[in-house]
Amino acid sequence: MQDLLISTLIQGLIYALISFGVYITYSILDFPDLGVDGTFPLGAAITAVLLTKGVSPWLTLPLSMLAGTLTGLFTGFIHVRLKIRNLLAGIITMTALFSVNLQIAGSNLAVDRGTDTIFTSPAVMALFGNMTLMGRKLVVSLLLVVVIKVLLDLYFQTKSGLLLRAVGDNAGLVTTLAKDRGNVKILGLAISNALVALAGCVVCHDLRSYSATMGTGQLVYGLAAVIIGVSTFRFYEGSRLAQFCRSRKALRWLGAPAGTTAVVVGSVLYKLCIQIALSMGLPANMMKLITAMLFLLVLVLSGRKGEEIIHA
């Protein structure tokens, strides 16, 4: 049972990287980016090929993010410069990436057990070599998610980050500030897809494999995690505990957690729900159906039907 809970926590942390990306596009930019289902396997495909070529496992992270950034720039260019509707721009990118991923790594690619990953690299073994593989995965995943979360929180406090938020809330305000809102959208899409590709990269390190179909349903996962996290934290912020924390200067951050924190919690909770469903005897080949049904249940129970995740 303990190993199952730890495994679920690891998966929740890794897939929180996808949720970060979806949080930026849906909750901040109000942009339904369907390209996520193509960017995720893109990061995994690049990682699998690089690992089999003997490239340092840590180098695969920035390279995957670079590929995701280019994908986001492509989607943004189609939408902003070519005036294609956001939904169609995402569909075009997703469709194109399916062929691109096949060209990069084929339909499937496995990484040999003797090849180092970020969880078995010399640096990690030197620091956490006395831990089990599962323990190292938990520590590395947690550190990676915390670093990304902190960087995002710091970025959202900068002028560029505030402009990014303004585009989704009030695009006209950005124009009055003499800023090109189209460029701000493109930047947001680039950051979002970089994080999604990073998630695909880490999943490849975790599973030691890539599949061309592994991106199917990842957008649904990211949306569900965001909605669960945002809904849970809005309920918490109205509680007496949160009010007490906000009344104490040292605990104020506990009374009003950042949106990125909600995303991480939502990702872990959603993975836990899926694991519970599988533990009840539902077959693994019903995973996508389970995911879809859980997403529908989340929308109904939250009472939001999805619209209030915008500008969360």
Side-chain angles (χ1 to χ4, degrees):
M1 178 60 71
Q2 181 180 357
D3 288 346
L4 184 61
L5 290 176
I6 294 176
S7 177
T8 302
L9 179 57
I10 293 171
Q11 292 297 307
L13 289 172
I14 294 176
Y15 280 83
L17 297 171
I18 297 178
S19 303
F20 282 147
V22 173
Y23 176 73
I24 292 174
T25 51
Y26 276 79
S27 293
I28 295 179
L29 290 180
D30 189 9
F31 191 106
D33 184 15
L34 298 181
V36 166
D37 282 4
T39 306
F40 179 79
L42 173 65
I46 291 174
T47 301
V49 171
L50 292 176
L51 288 177
T52 56
K53 297 295 184 181
V55 176
S56 169
W58 291 103
L59 187 57
T60 62
L61 273 65
L63 291 177
S64 296
M65 293 185 72
L66 176 60
T69 300
L70 295 176
T71 299
L73 292 174
F74 178 72
T75 304
F77 177 80
I78 293 176
H79 171 60
V80 175
R81 303 307 175 199
L82 301 184
K83 309 299 182 183
I84 304 299
R85 292 185 60 181
N86 51 20
L87 186 64
L88 294 177
I91 292 174
I92 291 171
T93 301
M94 176 182 65
T95 305
L97 284 177
F98 186 79
S99 294
V100 171
N101 294 335
L102 289 176
Q103 288 297 314
I104 293 175
S107 58
N108 294 281
L109 183 60
V111 178
D112 186 81
R113 288 289 172 182
T115 302
D116 283 338
T117 66
I118 58 173
F119 305 114
T120 60
S121 64
V124 171
M125 295 302 294
L127 292 173
F128 310 110
N130 59 334
M131 301 178 65
T132 63
L133 177 59
M134 186 172 293
R136 292 196 301 273
K137 286 184 177 182
L138 177 60
V139 171
V140 173
S141 300
L142 179 60
L143 289 175
L144 187 60
V145 168
V146 169
V147 168
I148 296 297
K149 172 194 154 37
V150 171
L151 290 176
L152 283 177
D153 288 341
L154 292 175
Y155 170 70
F156 288 145
Q157 295 175 17
T158 65
K159 181 179 179 180
S160 177
L162 292 173
L163 283 174
L164 190 67
R165 287 183 172 276
V167 166
D169 288 323
N170 187 354
L173 175 62
V174 178
T175 304
T176 61
L177 294 173
K179 299 294 182 180
D180 188 337
R181 61 186 181 185
N183 288 339
V184 178
K185 274 190 176 183
I186 293 175
L187 175 61
L189 286 166
I191 296 173
S192 169
N193 281 271
L195 293 174
V196 173
L198 176 62
C201 171
V202 179
V203 168
C204 181
H205 282 280
D206 178 34
L207 302 179
R208 288 183 175 270
S209 64
Y210 147 82
S211 170
T213 60
M214 65 191 300
T216 305
Q218 298 307 328
L219 176 60
V220 171
Y221 177 91
L223 277 172
V226 171
I227 294 174
I228 290 175
V230 170
S231 300
T232 302
F233 272 53
R234 283 184 178 174
F235 174 79
Y236 163 73
E237 287 173 359
S239 66
R240 291 185 177 181
L241 176 60
Q243 293 173 6
F244 171 79
C245 291
R246 288 195 293 270
S247 67
R248 300 293 188 273
K249 186 175 181 180
L251 301 176
R252 193 167 298 167
W253 63 279
L254 289 174
T260 51
T261 304
V263 169
V264 176
V265 173
S267 178
V268 173
L269 289 177
Y270 193 51
K271 274 294 181 183
L272 182 61
C273 290
I274 293 176
Q275 189 58 57
I276 291 174
L278 293 175
S279 299
M280 293 173 61
L282 295 176
N285 59 5
M286 300 291 286
M287 176 69 74
K288 298 303 180 184
L289 178 61
I290 295 171
T291 301
M293 292 299 100
L294 280 175
F295 183 38
L296 176 61
L297 183 63
V298 167
L299 289 175
V300 173
L301 293 181
S302 67
R304 306 182 190 285
K305 308 302 183 288
E307 71 273 8
E308 287 190 24
I309 64 170
I310 307 302
H311 321 313

